[in-house]
Amino acid sequence: MTIWEAVAVLAAGIGAGTINTVVGSGTLITFPVLLAFGLPPVTANVSNTLGLVPGSISGAIGYRSELTGQRRRILRFSVFALIGGLGGAVLLLALPSKAFDTIVPVLIAVALVLVVAQPKLAAMIRARRERNGTTAHRDGGPALLVGLMLASVYGGYFGAAQGVIYLSLMGVLLDEDLQRINALKNVLAAVVNGVAAVFFLFVAHFDWTAVALIAVGSTLGGQLGAKVGRRLPPTALRAVIVLVGLLAITQLLLK
């Protein structure tokens, strides 16, 4: 890797760490850069996954005040994220590289519809509970746990726009502020990337220069993303999520 290629990978890591903390989809920045510099797809994918782990942790630390009071929820969701992330990592090595190409843009599109409709859907759900005299499940119920595990399978496999899917699921099924949900999303992303990376350490080949550069860049980006993301009002954050999601769909369809 030349010095200019190293600078490009570092810059991509900063961009990925920033956008991952605010929304997700940082993989769509780093993965194409690694491919452009000649890394095989699987090597690029596993190197990218490991390199982004410090960025996810950095973003979660940047959102630590929004995580206050969510310890029980974090532990519960993390179990399902860990199982799903490990399953996705196994699938990456077992399935053809094109296996998710058709379904992923559809998943992201559905997630974006849920993100846009989230305020109205949440209001409808609250009104229905009031009519029925029921209360919201503190952790979103079984539907959310299953949804998070399936989203984590995708995250362990590839992960582009994984954060968008997390935000859409939790936004509809949890009675929580969007910023607190975003903080939770960063923790789950760290769990999924972490367990997938540990699995890959034993069965896959890494480009350690790329890993180190992305790790440094994403750590810096995680702090930058937390500073930016925490200042966005819910409407602006929702708009950023939709924009990033649309860009992700476009890139996935054109690749």
Side-chain angles (χ1 to χ4, degrees):
M1 189 177 295
T2 69
I3 183 65
W4 294 114
E5 289 174 344
V7 170
V9 173
L10 178 65
I14 294 173
T18 301
I19 198 66
N20 271 346
T21 302
V22 178
V23 182
S25 300
T27 290
L28 294 177
I29 298 174
T30 46
F31 186 66
V33 170
L34 296 180
L35 291 180
F37 293 151
L39 268 67
V42 172
T43 301
N45 197 355
V46 299
S47 300
N48 178 67
T49 297
L50 181 56
L52 289 177
V53 172
S56 298
I57 296 172
S58 176
I61 292 172
Y63 264 91
R64 60 190 176 277
S65 62
E66 284 78 11
L67 291 171
T68 302
Q70 299 201 77
R71 182 176 181 274
R72 177 179 175 274
R73 183 180 288 162
I74 289 169
L75 293 174
R76 190 175 189 189
F77 288 2
S78 292
V79 171
F80 287 83
L82 188 149
I83 294 170
L86 181 58
V90 172
L91 288 177
L92 175 65
L93 301 182
L95 294 179
S97 61
K98 299 290 184 181
F100 278 24
D101 283 2
T102 301
I103 190 63
V104 168
V106 177
L107 287 174
I108 298 172
V110 171
L112 292 182
V113 171
L114 291 176
V115 168
V116 172
Q118 186 265 329
K120 185 170 290 187
L121 287 173
M124 291 172 59
I125 292 171
R126 282 195 298 270
R128 182 179 179 182
R129 290 195 186 108
E130 289 174 2
R131 289 195 303 270
N132 297 337
T134 58
T135 57
H137 194 292
R138 181 179 177 183
D139 293 334
L144 179 56
L145 296 176
V146 172
L148 291 176
M149 186 168 68
L150 293 176
S152 299
V153 170
Y154 167 60
Y157 182 89
F158 183 52
Q162 172 193 4
V164 175
I165 299 173
Y166 278 153
L167 289 169
S168 68
L169 289 170
M170 292 189 288
V172 171
L173 296 174
L174 287 180
D175 188 15
E176 273 289 3
D177 175 77
L178 188 56
Q179 290 288 5
R180 282 171 62 79
I181 290 173
N182 201 22
L184 187 55
K185 175 265 297 178
N186 288 327
V187 174
L188 297 182
V191 170
V192 170
N193 282 345
V195 69
V198 169
F199 173 77
F200 293 145
L201 282 173
F202 294 96
V203 297
H205 173 70
F206 289 85
D207 184 306
W208 290 105
T209 301
V211 170
L213 290 169
I214 293 174
V216 172
S218 66
T219 300
L220 296 173
Q223 290 299 301
L224 177 61
K227 291 183 181 299
V228 173
R230 294 176 68 236
R231 296 181 180 180
L232 292 175
T235 301
L237 180 56
R238 199 167 279 112
V240 172
I241 294 169
V242 172
L243 176 60
V244 171
L246 290 174
L247 291 174
I249 291 172
T250 301
Q251 183 167 340
L252 288 168
L253 291 175
L254 293 179
K255 74 175 183 177

